[in-house]
């Protein structure tokens, strides 16, 4: 791999060679001097919350999402919760969603006593399989909550068709997909509402934070009230129109987000290039299935770079590979553990292994590799070399006696 050069890339300055690095983290936020300066400016002022940064950040977010409104909140989970409330979902309502996700995308309905109705995923995209949705629909079904997993857009044409046919609102969990597009339209702008998240491992960060994006004025207005203790617009500080929450995002966070958002396109390019480099280098590791880079009808916003081991490998093999990589200072993880197999979901709904076979097959074999804006070519080399050796060691130990393609 040391023969790899940067000449094949359009913007070689993004990926530079470095020699240091003993540890390579799974993710790493990318803050500029400008980001830090803006935050320091806010700290020097007197308005740390509900100040001018909030509407400025929201305006930029709505623009980035291609929606009329954006409402910033203190996490992606809070954003999803308010989307669920705004869609009027409650006790016993079933919401069709994916079991291959971060736990918040299902928890957000449980908060309102609605019920996640899981539908298995497509093995190539890891997103909910629209072909399986109709058979999950019954008289209690009230909404669809697709998740754009790892920043890869769901098939919003197929999902939109079902939603229109049955009159279901769509809530897009876009927490991993800011900047992605499907057939030229921005992810987050398809549904009744969409949620973004800005935890430090996401494409852009506010430290902690999230946002609801929507074209629906009522959803925006209610979300603004709910996040601020149920206060109405312009109502007195101790006047509460409805039961609300404290889901506010401080001006410190919003200021950071504003700077980060301004770099969204550049960040997207850096991450796409890192993904491309990984896939090129991993082309020589046949035990590993790499994510497809260029879906014909969508543009990915790369959240994480996740590979999958060939079917011959077991979950134990995968866990051993994770341990080997970690021992070599390489951050990695098993994105995702199936939601239906989390203790809480098993106990509450009686799910068991075997319920969603594609999700389980994928979840048992995935490895998220180090992935962040400033990942260097030599770091990618280090990771791919380590991965090659780790899978090779398992293979020599014979994987269930099965031969793997060379
Ligand atoms: C990150 C994420 C969220 C929200 O996370 P927060 O930590 O609450 O900001 C929700 N859904 C998915 C799929 C995510 O990846």
């Amino acid at each position: 791999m040391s023969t790899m050069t940067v000449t094949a890339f359009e913007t070689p300055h993004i990926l530079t060679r470095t020699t240091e690095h003993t540890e390579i983290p799974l993710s790493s936020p990318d803050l500029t001097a400008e980001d830090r300066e803006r935050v320091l400016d806010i700290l020097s002022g007197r308005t740390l919350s509900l100040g001018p940064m909030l509407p400025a950040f929201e305006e930029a977010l709505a623009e980035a999402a291609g929606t009329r409104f954006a409402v910033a909140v203190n996490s992606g989970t809070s954003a999803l919760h308010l989307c669920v409330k705004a869609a009027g979902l409650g006790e016993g309502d079933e919401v069709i969603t994916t079991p291959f996700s971060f736990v918040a995308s299902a928890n957000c309905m449980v908060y309102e006593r609605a019920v996640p109705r899981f539908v298995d995923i497509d093995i190539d995209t890891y997103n909910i399989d629209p072909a399986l949705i109709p058979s999950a629909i019954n008289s209690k079904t009230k909404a669809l909550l697709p998740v754009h997993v790892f920043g890869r857009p769901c098939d919003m044409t197929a999902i939109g068709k079902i939603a229109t046919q049955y009159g279901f609102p769509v809530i897009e969990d876009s927490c991993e997909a800011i900047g992605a597009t499907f057939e030229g339209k921005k992810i987050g702008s398809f549904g009744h509402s969409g949620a973004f998240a800005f935890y430090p491992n996401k494409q852009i960060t506010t430290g902690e934070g999230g946002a609801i994006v929507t074209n629906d004025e009522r959803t925006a207005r209610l979300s603004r009230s709910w996040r601020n203790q149920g206060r109405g617009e312009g109502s007195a500080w101790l006047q509460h129109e409805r039961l609300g929450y404290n889901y506010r995002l401080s001006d410190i966070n919003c200021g950071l987000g504003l700077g980060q958002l301004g770099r969204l396109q550049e960040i997207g390019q850096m991450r796409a290039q890192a993904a491309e480099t990984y896939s090129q280098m991993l082309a020589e590791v046949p035990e590993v299935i790499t994510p497809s880079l260029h879906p014909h009808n969508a543009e990915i916003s790369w959240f994480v770079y996740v590979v999958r081991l060939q079917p011959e490998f077991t979950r134990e093999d995968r866990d051993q590979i994770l341990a080997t990589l970690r021992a070599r200072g390489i951050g990695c993880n098993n994105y995702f553990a199936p939601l239906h197999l989390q203790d809480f979901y098993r106990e509450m709904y009686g799910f068991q292994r075997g319920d969603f076979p594609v999700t389980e097959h994928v979840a048992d074999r995935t490895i998220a590799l180090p992935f962040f804006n400033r990942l260097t070519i030599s770091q990618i080399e280090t990771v791919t070399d380590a991965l090659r050796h780790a899978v090779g060691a398992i293979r020599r130990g014979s994987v269930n006696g099965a031969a793997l393609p060379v």
Side-chain angles (χ1 to χ4, degrees):
M1 279 292 114
S2 54
T3 53
M4 185 85 201
T5 67
V6 295
T7 50
F9 303 111
E10 279 175 19
T11 46
H13 61 281
I14 291 175
L15 292 163
T16 50
R17 286 180 176 279
T18 51
T19 47
E20 75 278 23
H21 301 304
T22 45
E23 301 243 324
I24 308 175
L26 178 56
S27 73
S28 174
D30 176 21
L31 272 55
T32 62
E34 215 179 25
D35 289 338
R36 277 182 279 272
E37 245 165 66
R38 190 186 267 105
V39 170
L40 283 174
D41 275 353
I42 296 162
L43 290 175
S44 310
R46 275 178 300 177
T47 319
L48 299 187
S49 193
L50 296 174
M53 285 297 145
L54 176 64
F57 183 44
E58 289 180 336
E59 209 170 293
L61 271 172
E63 167 102 32
T67 55
R68 286 177 67 202
F69 308 100
V71 182
V73 290
N74 59 359
S75 74
T77 305
S78 304
L80 283 166
H81 181 200
L82 297 188
C83 289
V84 164
K85 278 181 75 77
L89 302 169
E91 183 89 47
D93 292 340
E94 287 191 9
V95 182
I96 290 178
T97 192
T98 173
F100 189 71
S101 177
F102 180 64
V103 72
S105 66
N107 284 356
C108 64
M109 352 178 155
V110 182
Y111 299 153
E112 293 299 313
R113 299 177 198 277
V115 179
R117 175 73 195 238
F118 293 127
V119 165
D120 214 346
I121 59 169
D122 178 279
I123 196 157
D124 295 318
T125 66
Y126 303 161
N127 283 326
I128 193 168
D129 185 345
L132 302 178
I133 292 177
S135 60
I137 293 172
N138 61 45
S139 59
K140 292 186 204 147
T141 311
K142 292 284 149 50
L144 309 177
L145 196 152
V147 180
H148 306 289
V149 172
F150 305 152
R152 183 182 301 269
C154 291
D155 182 344
M156 294 313 290
T157 303
I159 289 169
K161 223 169 172 176
I162 297 166
T164 307
Q165 186 186 340
Y166 291 89
F168 296 148
V170 175
I171 297 168
E172 284 178 81
D173 182 340
S174 312
C175 289
E176 302 186 350
I178 190 165
T181 60
F182 179 82
E183 288 180 351
K185 190 171 148 91
K186 286 169 180 168
I187 286 305
S189 70
F190 284 85
H192 175 261
S193 59
F196 290 130
F198 309 119
Y199 189 72
N201 70 339
K202 309 282 171 167
Q203 288 91 329
I204 64 163
T205 186
T206 59
E208 292 280 2
I212 298 121
V213 292
T214 184
N215 290 316
D216 180 44
E217 190 163 7
R218 183 180 162 276
T219 294
R221 190 168 35 79
L222 280 172
S223 296
R224 290 207 165 96
S225 175
W226 282 324
R227 81 165 163 202
N228 190 19
Q229 304 284 15
R231 294 182 177 100
E233 263 164 85
S235 70
W237 189 248
L238 296 179
Q239 189 94 37
H240 307 276
E241 292 180 1
R242 55 184 63 79
L243 177 66
Y245 306 85
N246 181 355
Y247 283 175
R248 292 185 304 262
L249 189 65
S250 84
D251 262 39
I252 307 166
N253 303 97
C254 290
L256 177 54
L258 197 57
Q260 292 266 300
L261 198 53
R263 294 172 54 228
L264 183 60
Q265 210 169 1
E266 179 199 340
I267 286 170
Q269 284 165 1
M270 289 164 109
R271 295 173 88 92
Q273 196 163 55
E276 205 144 315
T277 305
Y278 259 128
S279 288
Q280 284 177 15
M281 293 195 184
L282 286 170
E284 295 167 30
V285 186
E287 295 90 345
V288 151
I289 300 163
T290 58
S292 78
L293 294 172
H294 302 291
H296 74 280
N297 55 355
E299 200 156 333
I300 300 167
S301 170
W302 290 88
F303 166 52
V304 282
Y305 186 85
V306 175
V307 297
R308 186 172 94 239
L309 296 168
Q310 294 284 2
E312 291 81 1
F313 288 85
T314 64
R315 178 160 39 128
E316 290 69 30
D317 294 332
R318 190 275 313 276
D319 291 345
Q320 197 181 320
I321 292 167
L322 289 176
T324 304
L325 293 177
R326 284 176 188 145
R328 297 185 64 171
I330 294 169
C332 53
N333 215 347
N334 59 319
Y335 279 19
F336 287 113
L339 298 188
H340 66 285
L341 298 180
Q342 302 286 340
D343 288 345
F344 169 67
Y345 281 99
R346 280 183 195 255
E347 281 163 30
M348 198 154 172
Y349 304 108
F351 289 122
Q352 47 191 315
R353 197 156 255 283
D355 284 345
F356 302 99
V358 182
T359 292
E360 291 165 23
H361 175 95
V362 170
D364 285 349
R365 290 169 182 80
T366 44
I367 301 173
L369 298 173
F371 195 72
F372 42 90
N373 298 351
R374 310 233 167 236
L375 194 63
T376 65
I377 284 193
S378 36
Q379 284 175 321
I380 296 175
E381 273 175 4
T382 303
V383 174
T384 52
D385 284 348
L387 182 59
R388 184 189 305 108
H389 285 117
V391 294
I394 292 215
R395 192 178 169 192
R396 274 193 299 280
S398 160
V399 180
N400 298 336
L404 285 162
V406 181

